[in-house]
Amino acid sequence: MAGTGSSRPGVVPTLLYADAKAAIRQLTEGLGFTEVSVYEGEGGTVEHAELSYGNGMVMLGSKGRGGVFDTAMKGAGPAGVYVVVDDVDAHHRRAVEQGVDILMPPTDQDYGSRDYMARDVEGNVWSFGTYAPEAGA
């Protein structure tokens, strides 16, 4: 089965942004992602970008490029993405320092996780917490 027994993530959220360059800046500078690759097209559009966080990854690009995925995503609402972090409070402090829109401050949850929630430059909701789900066999 694809995605098993590998260090590569088996699930990768994929998002489109009207201003993908601003999203990349916010995700790297404000939320601690690492830029893996960015491929730009004519006029500075982001054709494809990959950002990593720990052993996870998100792919993104510019809206309005055409193609099947861009057409399918036209008019789609914001997405929600959950990212596992070791130190929620330190991660939250960095986000606040960078001006990220915080929706919920670090909060201890009944199920044992500590989480906070933020909104990116185009309305997608990002949750960062200590809960790390395990994939079934």
Side-chain angles (χ1 to χ4, degrees):
M1 177 181 283
T4 60
S6 171
S7 62
R8 295 181 180 187
V11 177
V12 180
T14 305
L15 305 168
L16 294 180
Y17 290 90
D19 189 343
K21 289 180 181 178
I24 291 168
R25 269 191 313 279
Q26 184 184 50
L27 291 168
T28 56
E29 295 172 13
L31 297 173
F33 281 77
T34 300
E35 185 179 299
V36 175
S37 60
V38 177
Y39 302 97
E40 291 188 25
E42 292 182 28
T45 61
V46 176
E47 296 293 324
H48 178 80
E50 297 176 2
L51 308 178
S52 66
Y53 191 97
N55 64 352
M57 180 168 277
V58 62
M59 296 187 297
L60 63 95
S62 295
K63 288 181 179 177
R65 299 177 288 113
V68 175
F69 187 71
D70 185 48
T71 301
M73 293 292 288
K74 188 170 290 213
V81 181
Y82 182 84
V83 180
V84 179
V85 297
D86 291 328
D87 187 338
V88 170
D89 296 284
H91 196 276
H92 173 261
R93 277 191 299 278
R94 175 185 182 156
V96 168
E97 289 169 3
Q98 292 295 320
V100 174
D101 180 17
I102 304 299
L103 302 176
M104 180 185 79
T107 304
D108 292 325
Q109 304 298 330
D110 293 339
Y111 51 89
S113 184
R114 183 162 178 79
D115 305 335
Y116 84 93
M117 196 178 309
R119 186 181 315 275
D120 73 18
V121 294
E122 293 193 16
N124 298 297
V125 176
W126 294 78
S127 297
F128 298 89
T130 57
Y131 175 72
E134 290 190 39

